[in-house]
Amino acid sequence: MNNPQLTASGALQHLLSVEGLPREILVQILDTAESFCGVTEREVKKVPLLRGKSVFNLFFEPSTRTRTTFEIAAKRLSADVINLNIAASSQTKGESLLDTVANLSAMQADLFIVRHAQAGAPHLIARHVKPHEHVINAGDGRHAHPTQGLLDLYTIRHYKKDFNGLTVAVVGDILHSRVARSLIHGLSILGVPEVRVIGPQTLMPARVEALGVRVFHDMRAGLKDCDVVVMLRLQNERMRGTLLPSAQEFNKHYGLTAEKLALAKSNAIVMHPGPMNRGVEIDSSVADGPHSVILPQVTFGIAVRMAVMSIIAGN
Ligand code: NCD
């Protein structure tokens, strides 16, 4: 088996996608994150696991939550964090991605956190780094966003305790969503019996059923008896041509309102990776309501990213 993110002995060398991760590694990440949640509540929020290591944040696409929580996580592990200012970097002078990485490697990098609009960019870097260097994918095109998928799984486990017997619905722009893909792979590895995707045909990937999901175009039918509802942002920046009549029309059919949420189980949780478009995919009454765990997701993201970095750097 040739899995580019694992070492010959099966340990995690890079985190490129949730797809292809062995179940044991996935569970190890969630369990390690749980132990780090305690650290983040202490007055001194630091552990020395990455002391002396240099973490380079390479974000070629905008990000608030992911970049910041990676930085906080690395600092809580006592690493040195370097945020590259991409707009002012040599990429704008025509330097290739691999040359940029080779130069950072010459500055003794240990970990590269990479977000790129091009699917596969983190894989390309991972193929060229030195054996002691590690790459974590922080979102590549529409392909994967593994730490978001993992923090979503962590959040579900935190509130629902167990993955057995759950019904999880992922709603909205599935087609352009790396978050949806990573989460769906994770849910399937962990054995969640029913994963639903809800959205208009134009925002569904071709052959989406092959991911093991049930497809719904009617949101009310899809939300019925769900334990977890994951809302996605309309990724307008990735849409070529018109896939939707209008944001208002989308809101009418696929926006999460309190009235539609009432069809899910009474203890259902509502998640969103952010950034949210209030009044488009989610109403404020739901985003700020009692079922919402959207802000805890952000907090859990720190512990999950600490877990991934500490496991990888220890391998
Ligand atoms: C997501 C992303 O960038 O893929 N956001 C995030 O990482 N929190 C989702 C999005 O942009 O809609």
Side-chain angles (χ1 to χ4, degrees):
M1 188 182 74
N2 185 13
N3 188 329
Q5 42 190 355
L6 302 182
T7 63
S9 59
L12 196 63
Q13 165 77 4
H14 308 289
L15 179 65
L16 304 175
S17 65
V18 172
E19 187 180 11
L21 273 191
R23 185 179 184 282
E24 308 76 65
I25 291 186
L26 224 158
V27 172
Q28 181 196 9
I29 294 170
L30 300 185
D31 289 348
T32 309
E34 202 166 318
S35 71
F36 283 135
C37 272
V39 173
T40 62
E41 279 156 19
R42 292 209 299 245
E43 200 159 273
V44 178
K45 300 186 180 62
K46 278 203 191 241
V47 286
L49 292 168
L50 256 67
R51 195 161 53 200
K53 305 259 188 217
S54 300
V55 175
F56 280 76
N57 258 335
L58 305 180
F59 279 65
F60 296 92
E61 256 193 354
S63 169
T64 309
R65 272 152 293 267
T66 307
R67 200 198 58 72
T68 318
T69 51
F70 262 115
E71 179 170 353
I72 297 170
K75 287 182 168 162
R76 289 195 181 161
L77 293 167
S78 311
D80 296 314
V81 185
I82 298 93
N83 289 307
L84 228 72
N85 184 353
I86 301 294
S89 77
S90 333
Q91 292 264 309
T92 52
K93 298 183 185 170
E95 187 175 55
S96 79
L97 180 60
L98 289 179
D99 279 335
T100 303
V101 170
N103 279 273
L104 299 175
S105 171
M107 301 174 202
Q108 269 96 37
D110 295 288
L111 248 141
F112 295 106
I113 317 290
V114 182
R115 168 169 290 194
H116 205 284
Q118 208 65 51
H123 292 65
L124 178 72
I125 297 174
R127 277 208 303 277
H128 289 86
V129 293
K130 296 181 185 142
H132 76 276
E133 294 169 340
H134 306 276
V135 178
I136 298 177
N137 180 1
D140 63 330
R142 309 176 184 183
H143 171 241
H145 192 350
T147 57
Q148 179 71 43
L150 288 163
L151 80 85
D152 291 341
L153 295 171
Y154 185 93
T155 307
I156 295 172
R157 192 174 82 163
H158 177 86
Y159 288 101
K160 297 292 163 193
K161 306 300 172 215
D162 205 336
F163 292 103
N164 296 333
L166 288 185
T167 300
V168 179
V170 186
V171 189
D173 184 359
I174 314 284
L175 177 64
H176 301 97
S177 179
R178 53 195 176 204
V179 173
R181 249 172 283 275
S182 288
L183 176 59
I184 291 167
H185 283 297
L187 292 168
S188 124
I189 295 168
L190 292 171
V192 169
E194 174 132 344
V195 182
R196 303 176 179 175
V197 290
I198 306 175
Q201 187 65 51
T202 48
L203 295 180
M204 286 290 168
R207 296 179 300 281
V208 65
E209 298 85 355
L211 294 173
V213 295
R214 278 181 72 189
V215 182
F216 290 81
H217 300 301
D218 175 352
M219 189 171 180
R220 287 187 169 77
L223 287 179
K224 213 165 164 351
D225 297 326
C226 281
D227 299 281
V228 178
V229 183
V230 181
M231 300 306 300
L232 300 171
R233 185 176 64 87
L234 275 185
Q235 311 241 318
N236 288 309
E237 74 279 15
R238 299 195 193 286
M239 293 188 195
R240 280 186 223 104
T242 345
L243 296 176
L244 288 171
S246 70
Q248 285 84 346
E249 187 72 11
F250 180 83
N251 175 259
K252 191 171 137 212
H253 295 286
Y254 298 104
L256 188 61
T257 57
E259 175 259 322
K260 285 187 201 140
L261 179 60
L263 296 163
K265 288 202 181 136
S266 59
N267 63 348
I269 55 169
V270 174
M271 300 175 27
H272 192 305
M276 281 191 282
N277 284 319
R278 291 171 184 263
V280 181
E281 70 268 3
I282 189 163
D283 278 15
S284 280
S285 62
V286 179
D288 306 326
H291 296 268
S292 170
V293 297
I294 295 171
L295 291 176
Q297 280 180 270
V298 178
T299 310
F300 293 144
I302 299 173
V304 168
R305 290 178 173 123
M306 285 172 80
V308 170
M309 285 192 276
S310 65
I311 291 170
I312 277 188
N315 286 335

